[in-house]
Amino acid sequence: MQFPRRALLVSAAAAPLARFPLAAHAETTAATIVSDWDVPGGHFYTQTAPRGAADDAGYVVSDADGLTFWRDYKALGGPTQLGFPVSGRWESEGETFQATEAALLHWDQGAARVYPVFRLFTQYGMDDWLEAQGVPPASPELAANPDLPVWTRQSWLTNPALRAAYWSAFEVDGPRRYGLPMSEPVRMGPYLAQRFERAVLQLWLDHVPGMPEPGSIVLVQVADLLRRAEMIPSSALAPQTPPAPRPDPARIVPAPAGAPPITNVAGQHIIVSLSRQWF
């Protein structure tokens, strides 16, 4: 499997996406505008349409052609855990992908799964480039022996906060969400970062204006890195017209508030329910 690649662009540290867990962060120009809505066989999102796109432009996540990206996107946490879609689907050597802000989805053995994109970066010899983006390189021990035992790699979860964030992902398919650790926590300027096969977590330590507050744990924007590396085809990044019209907000009746869902995550955390209109 190959991704299209052209010139690599080196820029500042990889930008964080949002606090962990990811909060739904729809932005609208007015309270009367619906930012995303159901369409036949899926859901359409306008939140990540590029500047200058038409008002109704965006990206659809769907179950079209029997590939249940919409079903599995929801099962993995949807926008709360994966961010909004930033591309349409694309094909590469007979395999199907779709990028979201915090993950690369890949159709694999009857389901859309989070692709181990940071393992792919290492296979492409891009660790030096990633380090320039603020992402730790893969552990030299792992580079020397890709078949390290699972328990060895999990022993790299040495920071309590990052370890708790990692294991709390069992709420959304466990280590299959982040994959195995590829590095120990590494200080990268104002934050501590740990690289996994499918994600990078940052624990912010210093105050930087406009960035997360100290103590915040955030996910690096996987899609931002893929775009900088030009690994998403331009045709997939082009915003789409909606397959169903934007609904009238006046006709949308919020569901009545109910009891909060049961969760097994220990410690402090926030649950947001858009359908029930509470957090």
Side-chain angles (χ1 to χ4, degrees):
M1 183 275 300
Q2 293 287 326
F3 286 92
R5 289 183 57 204
R6 293 183 287 279
L8 299 182
L9 307 177
V10 177
S11 60
L17 179 60
R19 290 181 181 273
F20 176 87
L22 295 175
H25 52 292
E27 295 182 1
T28 59
T29 56
T32 57
I33 294 178
V34 178
S35 298
D36 56 85
W37 58 93
D38 286 334
V39 297
H43 201 80
F44 190 77
Y45 296 90
T46 65
Q47 289 90 340
T48 50
R51 292 182 182 276
D55 288 343
D56 277 359
Y59 304 100
V60 65
V61 183
S62 79
D63 291 339
D65 304 319
L67 307 186
T68 56
F69 276 77
W70 172 232
R71 179 200 69 184
D72 300 326
Y73 176 68
K74 290 186 294 181
L76 287 165
T80 304
Q81 293 292 334
L82 304 183
F84 295 111
V86 300
S87 79
R89 293 185 191 177
W90 78 88
E91 301 288 329
S92 177
E93 295 189 352
E95 300 185 67
T96 306
F97 298 86
Q98 184 166 12
T100 70
E101 291 174 295
L104 178 62
L105 296 177
H106 171 226
W107 183 255
D108 177 42
Q109 298 181 0
R113 309 178 194 277
V114 179
Y115 190 78
V117 66
F118 288 98
R119 193 168 69 201
L120 180 72
F121 279 126
T122 292
Q123 292 169 357
Y124 277 175
M126 296 175 64
D127 275 15
D128 289 345
W129 178 81
L130 278 180
E131 191 170 7
Q133 313 298 310
V135 174
S139 165
E141 188 179 1
L142 181 62
N145 181 11
D147 297 321
L148 281 175
V150 170
W151 64 266
T152 297
R153 295 173 65 175
Q154 290 180 344
S155 72
W156 298 342
L157 294 162
T158 55
N159 180 270
L162 292 174
R163 182 171 62 246
Y166 177 81
W167 288 116
S168 73
F170 270 104
E171 290 279 295
V172 283
D173 229 5
R176 287 186 291 275
R177 169 61 185 96
Y178 295 134
L180 290 172
M182 293 188 68
S183 76
E184 296 186 20
V186 178
R187 180 72 184 249
M188 308 289 289
Y191 56 83
L192 193 69
Q194 186 157 15
R195 177 176 172 179
F196 303 91
E197 293 171 314
R198 295 172 173 84
V200 174
L201 291 175
Q202 297 174 344
L203 170 61
W204 281 76
L205 304 174
D206 301 333
H207 175 71
V208 178
M211 299 304 285
E213 290 299 316
S216 300
I217 295 180
V218 299
L219 281 164
V220 162
Q221 293 188 16
V222 169
D224 189 41
L225 292 171
L226 291 171
R227 279 191 296 243
R228 292 181 200 176
E230 299 191 351
M231 293 170 69
I232 303 177
S234 56
S235 57
L237 291 172
Q240 308 161 7
T241 55
R246 188 192 296 268
D248 180 355
R251 298 180 182 177
I252 298 176
V253 180
I262 297 173
T263 175
N264 294 321
V265 179
Q268 295 181 347
H269 57 288
I270 296 173
I271 299 173
V272 178
S273 173
L274 298 181
S275 64
R276 298 180 182 178
Q277 299 294 298
W278 54 255
F279 70 91

